[in-house]
Amino acid sequence: MESDKTDLLIEKYFQGETSIAEEKELRDYFSGLNVAQHLEQYRPLFGYFSQAKEQKFKQKIPLQSNKRKVAWLSIAASVVVLLSIGTYAYLNNNEAHEQNLGTFDDPEVAFKETQKALALLSNHVNTGIESVQYIEEYEHSKNLIFKQ
Amino acid sequence: MNQNEFVELIAPFKDKVFRLAKRLLVSTEEAEDATQEVLVKLWNKNESLNTYNSLEAFAMTITKNYCLDQLKSKRATNLKIVHNNFTDREAGLQQKMEDSDSMSWVEKIINQLPEQQRLIVQMRDIEQYEFAEIAKILEMNETAIRVALSRARKTIREFMTKTHSYGIG
């Protein structure tokens, strides 16, 4: 590029009237080796413009909103599952209770039934006591061996 | 739109967003945070992204507004040191190293310009946007942009000739 033309371009450049193409021409001129002595001072300026364009954004982009939606969806699903299991169990329990409530209208029958139930209970308690008697046997034989 | 599509969509201009943020905020870390913030904002608009005819211009506008807000809130909270004549007259070692590199001189000069001129220089001289695009992003008219750009370039030239002749003399 002739020096005169470059001078004109530079002047136009500082007036803010150059086009993108003309500015590219200037950048190319200053990145070359044949820069006129009196224009040398502008070399760092255009050099910087090219250099500054090389900076890159290297961080990761934190895009979470989509994942958050999935998380909410799974939370909602688990709540639904828990609720359905809960209600199912609750209803089942209720039915069982209604079947075995065991209420009696006649007090005499009720008395008999209670006695029966208590007898059953004491029987079971006695089976427990029988086994305790073994321990007494142990105590006995222990006393035989370890005479004080 | 899924994540991969979105990443592809922003790939052509995410570096430009970062560089614009860095031009205004200067610190790399802050610029990175700002870029992430802007991209997340775009991602949250996900469904309506297709309605913008120029997503890049829209992203640049968001970036500009976000960074200016950041600067404003920083200025409001920061205490200013009134007496700033305590500093060492002799330039530090790092300063000297930087000064020897005239490219970083240019960066320093540009970063001293008013915010609006910085934005315009960044978009025109570095990203090579057309005036019409800059006008759209900054919501200004083209003549005003040309004037601000010329003013900015002349200020840079003034500083540069000063340092240049300083180097010789």
Side-chain angles (χ1 to χ4, degrees):
Chain A
M1 207 194 305
E2 301 147 36
S3 187
D4 285 354
K5 200 186 158 199
T6 315
D7 283 348
L8 273 177
L9 263 188
I10 281 279
E11 203 37 54
K12 243 177 109 183
Y13 172 79
F14 283 108
Q15 296 302 330
E17 280 158 8
T18 39
S19 67
I20 291 285
E22 286 168 327
E23 282 165 23
K24 187 178 181 300
E25 224 171 285
L26 279 174
R27 269 197 307 281
D28 289 346
Y29 172 78
F30 281 102
S31 67
L33 292 171
N34 302 317
V35 179
Q37 187 66 42
H38 67 287
L39 294 176
E40 184 67 33
Q41 55 171 320
Y42 298 125
R43 191 208 279 272
L45 180 62
F46 292 94
Y48 172 75
F49 290 155
S50 312
Q51 185 203 39
K53 223 192 162 182
E54 297 304 306
Q55 283 181 310
K56 294 265 184 313
F57 177 66
K58 293 194 190 82
Q59 297 285 307
K60 280 194 85 182
I61 310 158
L63 302 177
Q64 290 156 335
S65 44
N66 229 13
K67 274 185 198 162
R68 217 178 290 152
K69 267 184 214 161
V70 172
W72 277 115
L73 217 96
S74 60
I75 290 171
S78 58
V79 165
V80 166
V81 167
L82 277 177
L83 273 180
S84 56
I85 289 174
T87 42
Y88 180 75
Y90 180 72
L91 287 178
N92 257 15
N93 249 4
N94 261 7
E95 275 169 26
H97 271 298
E98 274 162 25
Q99 281 166 358
N100 294 332
L101 266 184
T103 43
F104 297 95
D105 294 328
D106 190 359
E108 224 168 280
V109 180
F111 176 67
K112 271 182 188 162
E113 283 296 322
T114 315
Q115 267 188 328
K116 231 162 116 190
L118 287 176
L120 195 73
L121 182 76
S122 64
N123 260 350
H124 281 291
V125 169
N126 281 344
T127 24
I129 282 172
E130 268 165 34
S131 57
V132 173
Q133 281 166 351
Y134 284 112
I135 297 173
E136 250 168 58
E137 201 64 37
Y138 279 123
E139 187 80 9
H140 203 71
S141 34
K142 191 200 82 178
N143 286 343
L144 279 177
I145 296 163
F146 300 105
K147 275 178 188 158
Q148 285 153 340
Chain B
M1 195 188 301
N2 66 29
Q3 289 201 15
N4 289 338
E5 285 167 1
F6 178 75
V7 168
E8 248 170 62
L9 195 70
I10 58 163
F13 60 83
K14 73 177 195 333
D15 293 328
K16 293 183 188 177
V17 165
F18 171 64
R19 290 192 288 258
L20 187 72
K22 185 153 190 277
R23 179 64 60 212
L24 283 173
L25 301 172
V26 181
S27 132
T28 307
E29 286 77 25
E30 277 180 66
E32 279 168 355
D33 289 349
T35 312
Q36 290 185 336
E37 205 66 37
V38 168
L39 293 179
V40 168
K41 268 185 197 178
L42 282 182
W43 170 246
N44 290 339
K45 283 188 194 285
N46 204 328
E47 307 306 322
S48 59
L49 282 188
N50 295 327
T51 58
Y52 296 99
N53 41 16
S54 170
L55 189 57
E56 179 169 337
F58 178 62
M60 293 302 259
T61 310
I62 296 185
T63 313
K64 178 208 80 179
N65 290 337
Y66 180 80
C67 292
L68 291 181
D69 282 351
Q70 287 292 101
L71 288 174
K72 212 182 282 172
S73 67
K74 221 179 14 176
R75 246 171 240 148
T77 52
N78 271 9
L79 270 177
K80 277 214 176 103
I81 299 173
V82 183
H83 300 286
N84 49 6
N85 52 350
F86 302 123
T87 46
D88 196 354
R89 285 294 159 93
E90 189 78 30
L93 181 67
Q94 201 186 348
Q95 189 85 41
K96 280 182 192 163
M97 294 263 290
E98 276 177 21
D99 289 359
S100 66
D101 182 0
S102 38
M103 291 229 194
S104 65
W105 251 114
V106 178
E107 175 154 40
K108 236 184 248 172
I109 295 166
I110 294 177
N111 288 347
Q112 277 168 12
L113 294 171
E115 279 143 20
Q116 199 187 57
Q117 292 183 17
R118 253 191 274 168
L119 281 168
I120 294 173
V121 167
Q122 175 71 22
M123 284 193 274
R124 178 68 185 188
D125 279 333
I126 294 169
E127 311 295 358
Q128 287 132 43
Y129 281 135
E130 291 289 351
F131 283 115
E133 289 172 295
I134 301 176
K136 200 174 155 200
I137 292 167
L138 295 185
E139 290 139 349
M140 287 168 68
N141 69 45
E142 289 186 32
T143 332
I145 288 170
R146 272 177 206 274
V147 170
L149 181 64
S150 163
R151 207 166 284 162
R153 283 171 174 172
K154 282 175 179 163
T155 314
I156 297 170
R157 173 168 67 177
E158 215 172 284
F159 271 102
M160 290 205 57
T161 37
K162 237 189 262 171
T163 60
H164 191 71
S165 47
Y166 187 72
I168 290 167

